[in-house]
Amino acid sequence: MLGWMGKFRALFLLSSLALVLSGCGKENLTALVPKGYGAESSLDLIILTTVIMLFVFAIVMVIYVIALVRFRKRKGQEDYIPKQVEGNHTLETVWTVIPILLLIIIAIPTVIATFDLADETDAKDAINVSVTGNQYWWHFDYAGEEIQTSQDLYIPVGEKVYLNMLSSDVIHSLWVPSLSGKMDVNPENENTMYIEAYEEGVYWGKCAEFCGPSHSLMDFKIVVVSPEEYEQWIADMQNVDPEAEPEDAVAAEGQGLFEENNCMACHAIGSSPVQTGPNLTNIGDRSRLAGTEELTKANLVEWLKDPEKLKPGNKMTDKYPSLSDEDADKIAEYLLQLQPSDITPESAGN
């Protein structure tokens, strides 16, 4: 058995380890370093509630120590009964009113921030994107631009972008910790929030509502670029020709196999209406496959051969004939050449 000194050392080591590990993670995936208006508002509320909770904790601990030291049982006072205070109206009033006041202090800025982030006053003059949550991927439809894409949402820095969110299946929750707070994405009622990024870069987003076996793999990215780069990206996406034949012979064969295996029944290239699978217009420009895997040819071939292995419960499994290694390689070559723009996650912020 450990003595008190051994227990103290173990506690100190565990606390130090927890502190070190809390600093691990991806860049632009923390609410504690806000780089957007919504995240900044959320951090202000986090600080406010933390200060209030620490204040209450300190007061309670001071009272506890005073009571422990001053009113402890002493020798010769085994039968001593201290003064009883039940029914003391002053005390009961104090410890009822104080929590109410603290809750009001927390509630007022929270309600103000909630309505502020849901304000749609400027929506008509701003960028609007219809967001659809699916098991286990995200779809983005740019209003008035005839642009649809999946997984990577491109927005200009310093501008409000309104997200009008619905789910195609179960309840999801969209969260980009460094840019905004969370918002439920429901199957029936549309929720709207806006994001406004202060800095260019790539920001990681998550689904914050358990939605199935691959919930933790439902990642996406918001790519924040300059207004000029955003306009260039819009133009590049609008000029995509879904039927253009690749110059590379292997990729051209892959395009044929893509069509022969009826992949277009679930996926779209260009501004076609949303299908049951992600839009692939700019899949070659993405840095991630299936939400979390690095986009490489080897990983893409593995995904085509056995999508269930990388993302359990996905809707692609068993929806097409089994592919040979050669056919999967050709289709992967074709998909990786779908790179309509020089504006990519790798170029954002550089």
Side-chain angles (χ1 to χ4, degrees):
M1 297 292 290
L2 291 174
W4 70 270
M5 182 58 73
K7 292 179 181 179
F8 174 78
R9 289 174 178 170
L11 180 61
F12 176 77
L13 288 173
L14 287 174
S15 300
S16 300
L17 180 61
L19 182 62
V20 171
L21 291 177
S22 67
C24 300
K26 297 176 180 176
E27 184 182 5
N28 295 335
L29 185 56
T30 173
L32 301 180
V33 185
K35 295 184 179 179
Y37 180 76
E40 193 173 58
S41 298
S42 298
L43 182 61
D44 290 342
L45 294 175
I46 291 172
I47 292 174
L48 173 65
T49 54
T50 301
V51 168
I52 290 176
M53 288 186 288
L54 288 174
F55 171 75
V56 171
F57 177 77
I59 295 297
V60 170
M61 291 306 298
V62 168
I63 295 174
Y64 171 72
V65 172
I66 291 174
L68 192 66
V69 174
R70 184 176 178 184
F71 300 105
R72 71 186 186 280
K73 184 183 290 185
R74 294 176 172 85
K75 289 183 178 180
Q77 294 182 337
E78 286 79 4
D79 298 326
Y80 173 74
I81 299 177
K83 180 182 178 181
Q84 303 301 296
V85 294
E86 71 271 6
N88 188 310
H89 294 297
T90 301
L91 280 177
E92 291 179 358
T93 300
V94 169
W95 62 48
T96 300
V97 171
I98 289 179
I100 291 175
L101 292 175
L102 294 177
L103 286 175
I104 291 174
I105 293 172
I106 294 174
I108 291 176
T110 300
V111 172
I112 292 174
T114 300
F115 280 91
D116 179 36
L117 295 175
D119 181 29
E120 300 180 42
T121 305
D122 303 327
K124 290 184 179 179
D125 300 321
I127 298 170
N128 281 263
V129 180
S130 295
V131 179
T132 305
N134 308 272
Q135 291 176 310
Y136 303 92
W137 56 282
W138 299 90
H139 183 78
F140 308 111
D141 185 354
Y142 290 74
E145 302 289 2
E146 295 188 353
I147 293 176
Q148 298 196 37
T149 185
S150 301
Q151 295 302 94
D152 289 0
L153 174 65
Y154 287 74
I155 67 171
V157 67
E159 296 187 28
K160 287 185 177 180
V161 178
Y162 284 83
L163 307 181
N164 307 299
M165 299 176 287
L166 275 172
S167 169
S168 67
D169 36 55
V170 300
I171 297 175
H172 302 281
S173 180
L174 185 140
W175 186 30
V176 189
S178 293
L179 295 183
S180 70
K182 302 175 185 177
M183 179 67 77
D184 280 353
V185 183
N186 302 315
E188 296 180 356
N189 61 296
E190 182 178 87
N191 284 335
T192 298
M193 65 180 287
Y194 71 83
I195 54 177
E196 182 180 357
Y198 295 154
E199 300 178 15
E200 297 178 32
V202 179
Y203 298 86
W204 290 86
K206 297 281 186 178
C207 176
E209 183 79 25
F210 181 74
C211 55
S214 288
H215 158 70
S216 63
L217 304 178
M218 195 171 164
D219 290 10
F220 68 101
K221 295 189 296 296
I222 292 187
V223 184
V224 182
V225 297
S226 68
E228 296 76 19
E229 289 177 318
Y230 177 74
E231 291 299 327
Q232 181 61 53
W233 182 82
I234 290 289
D236 291 339
M237 292 293 287
Q238 289 175 335
N239 290 328
V240 169
D241 180 5
E243 299 180 359
E245 185 173 325
E247 295 180 3
D248 180 83
V250 176
E253 287 186 57
Q255 183 183 36
L257 290 168
F258 186 81
E259 296 172 355
E260 289 175 16
N261 284 279
N262 207 26
C263 300
M264 295 296 286
C266 296
H267 297 282
I269 296 174
S271 59
S272 302
V274 61
Q275 306 289 338
T276 57
N279 185 291
L280 302 178
T281 302
N282 62 340
I283 185 174
D285 288 336
R286 300 175 195 165
S287 60
R288 288 291 181 270
L289 169 70
T292 58
E293 298 292 328
E294 184 179 357
L295 181 60
T296 64
K297 188 173 183 179
N299 284 342
L300 186 50
V301 168
E302 184 179 6
W303 167 259
L304 293 170
K305 294 278 292 180
D306 187 7
E308 190 70 14
K309 180 180 178 181
L310 296 180
K311 184 171 279 190
N314 74 86
K315 297 178 181 178
M316 184 171 165
T317 301
D318 297 330
K319 294 298 188 298
Y320 56 93
S322 296
L323 297 172
S324 66
D325 291 340
E326 182 181 2
D327 286 351
D329 186 85
K330 291 177 180 178
I331 293 175
E333 185 68 29
Y334 163 62
L335 293 176
L336 289 173
Q337 292 197 16
L338 296 177
Q339 301 176 339
S341 180
D342 292 332
I343 312 302
T344 66
E346 282 72 20
S347 69
N350 296 330

